[in-house]
Amino acid sequence: MDPTGAIWINQLFWLIFLLLLVLPMVKAQTLEWSRERLIRAIEEKRKSRVITMIHRQETRSFLGFFMMRFITIEDSEQVLRAIRMTPKDLPIDFIVHTPGGLALAATQIAQALADHKAPVRVIVPHYAMSGGTLIALAADEIIMDEHAVLGPVDPQLGQEPAASIVKIKELKKPEEIDDSTWIKIDVSEKALKQMFENVKTLLLKKGYSEEVANKVAEELSTGKYTHDYPLTVEHIQSLGLKVSTDVPEEVYALMDLYPQPAGTPSVQYIPVPYQRPGNSQPTGSKN
């Protein structure tokens, strides 16, 4: 091969390598700036501090790997810091999209929000399960999309529901239960009691009556449903919680700035709002 050609191929290889390395970083930084601008716009419009906790799968680095994200201690540290930096008389809008996560971290966030003196609004554009629901219960008002859902907050021991472990006592004789299972039962009973009291305390802090606090804690923390059971707006409202469906349009725009990994999309549509006034055809349609 011509030495000059080899040099060009080598330079082209390194150029492509650098582009693969740099372009994702540039894209990520551009997204971050766009998010910050939109968060600032929401704050100015609503006269509040906006805190987001959005757990999505995002492409990372030039290799394009991704990971599923959950509520972690790092999340609680950052949220608590944001709350400390917020004046006590400034409302907080907490935007949450999460499958749940570490109970300790979710509890810390919920307690800090519940103790904030100004109104706290937790906004759920799609779903906030498990620990995300616990955080929502610390709000003065839960704002959900009309089709968004929350979920039960019953404690889990690893992959096993604490409420189901406790039921072993009803299904077996004491002599048929081994020591390790008795330990799981003991821990599960404590976890269930602690979560019930935690939910009740949060609701009492937010001004709910003893009756409503007990009802919600019983409904959500005792294993009445499977842990992934979707609790709709109507269900949450029926428990006596303050819920509205007035999600700001800017929140949906913000969610668009947290993309899933690149690839062939499984859902596609023309991304413009259609209107059908009277019998006229929607925008974008053809005869």
Side-chain angles (χ1 to χ4, degrees):
M1 178 183 289
D2 181 8
T4 303
I7 292 173
W8 275 106
I9 291 174
N10 184 58
Q11 290 178 338
L12 181 61
F13 169 80
W14 283 108
L15 178 61
I16 294 174
F17 178 82
L18 288 173
L19 285 174
L20 290 173
L21 180 66
V22 171
L23 284 178
M25 296 179 183
V26 172
K27 182 180 178 181
Q29 188 59 60
T30 301
L31 270 177
E32 186 65 27
W33 288 334
S34 298
R35 292 168 184 168
E36 289 179 1
R37 284 196 299 269
L38 191 47
I39 287 172
R40 177 64 66 186
I42 297 172
E43 288 181 335
E44 291 177 356
K45 179 179 178 180
R46 296 176 64 83
K47 309 300 180 189
S48 66
R49 155 85 77 180
V50 171
I51 304 172
T52 69
M53 189 173 70
I54 299 174
H55 292 144
R56 297 285 291 269
Q57 296 178 1
E58 292 189 38
T59 303
R60 301 287 184 181
S61 89
F62 72 101
L63 295 176
F65 70 86
F66 62 89
M67 59 184 178
M68 192 67 180
R69 302 178 64 195
F70 301 90
I71 303 173
T72 64
I73 287 295
E74 288 74 19
D75 289 329
S76 65
E77 289 175 354
Q78 290 298 316
V79 172
L80 265 57
R81 182 171 182 269
I83 294 173
R84 285 196 302 271
M85 294 172 64
T86 304
K88 295 185 182 301
D89 60 348
L90 183 66
I92 290 177
D93 283 310
F94 192 95
I95 302 170
V96 59
H97 173 86
T98 182
L102 191 63
L104 171 60
T107 300
Q108 285 184 295
I109 294 170
Q111 290 177 345
L113 289 173
D115 289 338
H116 188 65
K117 302 304 181 184
V120 172
R121 301 174 290 256
V122 171
I123 303 174
V124 184
H126 185 54
Y127 77 124
M129 306 298 285
S130 189
T133 297
L134 187 65
I135 291 169
L137 296 177
D140 294 279
E141 181 185 21
I142 304 171
I143 304 175
M144 301 170 60
D145 180 87
E146 62 180 354
H147 295 116
V149 295
L150 303 182
V153 297
D154 57 303
Q156 310 289 296
L157 269 64
Q159 299 298 316
E160 300 173 338
S164 297
I165 294 174
V166 170
K167 283 187 176 296
I168 294 174
K169 291 198 304 184
E170 303 173 10
L171 303 175
K172 288 187 174 183
K173 297 177 182 179
E175 59 271 17
E176 296 175 338
I177 303 175
D178 58 48
D179 290 347
S180 62
T181 304
W182 274 118
I183 292 173
K184 282 187 175 182
I185 292 172
D186 180 59
V187 173
S188 296
E189 289 176 335
K190 291 174 181 175
L192 287 164
K193 181 180 179 182
Q194 289 165 185
M195 185 56 71
F196 182 97
E197 292 299 326
N198 192 14
V199 171
K200 180 178 177 180
T201 299
L202 288 174
L203 295 174
L204 290 176
K205 281 185 177 181
K206 304 317 293 184
Y208 287 100
S209 67
E210 185 96 11
E211 179 184 0
V212 169
N214 280 318
K215 180 180 179 180
V216 174
E218 178 72 26
E219 184 85 356
L220 302 187
S221 72
T222 60
K224 181 177 179 179
Y225 307 102
T226 59
H227 198 61
D228 62 350
Y229 182 76
L231 302 171
T232 64
V233 171
E234 292 77 12
H235 192 152
I236 299 300
Q237 288 174 332
S238 72
L239 298 177
L241 294 173
K242 299 169 187 173
V243 182
S244 81
T245 56
D246 299 324
V247 177
E249 286 298 323
E250 294 85 354
V251 172
Y252 296 115
L254 183 63
M255 290 297 295
D256 289 338
L257 298 177
Y258 289 84
Q260 296 283 21
T264 302
S266 57
V267 176
Q268 287 186 283
Y269 59 94
I270 299 173
V272 296
Y274 281 10
Q275 296 180 354
R276 190 188 293 273
N279 295 323
S280 63
Q281 294 185 355
T283 303
S285 65
K286 296 181 179 179
N287 292 326

